Amino acid sequence: MNEDPAGPLVVALGLDGVTDKAGLMDRAARALALPDWFGRNWDALADSLSDHTVWPEGAVERGLLIVVRGWRPYAEARPEEWRIAEEVLTEAADRTPALTVALALGGTSQSSGDDPGCSVRA
């Protein structure tokens, strides 16, 4: 997580090695520190992304930027699941002004900040 007090709280959602929806949900739960009762389904993810009460500390005041990295292998392996994931992330960002989701276009979750770019969905 980013500790720059002037900008949004940045959370990296690394999907390297994720091969299915269950893996994506586990990574999202970990990266966002979602509560134990998080349902690990698309509706629960959408609700959690839009629910400020489960966001990491400081994110409500500063805004939350989720950077999704290492997503391409999952998208290629499970295109229908990835389409749903994109819809959930996009809709959550569209209806939650303090939330931005960016898809890193290059590198992996392990890379430094030298990715070629991001696709931002706000």
Side-chain angles (χ1 to χ4, degrees):
M1 290 187 215
N2 180 15
E3 297 304 323
D4 176 9
L9 181 72
V10 178
V11 173
L13 174 54
L15 298 183
D16 290 317
V18 168
T19 59
D20 59 15
K21 176 182 161 188
L24 182 142
M25 294 297 166
D26 287 344
R27 296 281 179 92
R30 214 170 333 158
L32 295 165
L34 295 175
D36 290 339
W37 48 261
F38 169 62
R40 287 178 165 69
N41 60 58
W42 298 122
D43 289 336
L45 181 60
D47 291 345
S48 295
L49 292 171
S50 300
D51 182 355
H52 295 159
T53 66
V54 298
W55 282 14
E57 187 175 333
V60 174
E61 299 80 19
R62 295 170 44 193
L64 179 60
L65 169 60
I66 301 171
V67 179
V68 184
R69 297 175 179 250
W71 57 272
R72 286 182 187 222
Y74 174 58
E76 291 169 3
R78 304 274 185 140
E80 188 60 28
E81 280 183 19
W82 179 248
R83 184 189 59 74
I84 295 168
E86 279 189 300
E87 287 176 10
V88 167
L89 295 169
T90 300
E91 288 176 19
D94 285 348
R95 73 172 171 253
T96 310
L99 175 65
T100 302
V101 177
L103 301 180
L105 296 178
T108 67
S109 298
Q110 308 305 316
S111 68
S112 61
D114 56 354
D115 287 352
C118 290
S119 171
V120 177
R121 298 183 185 249

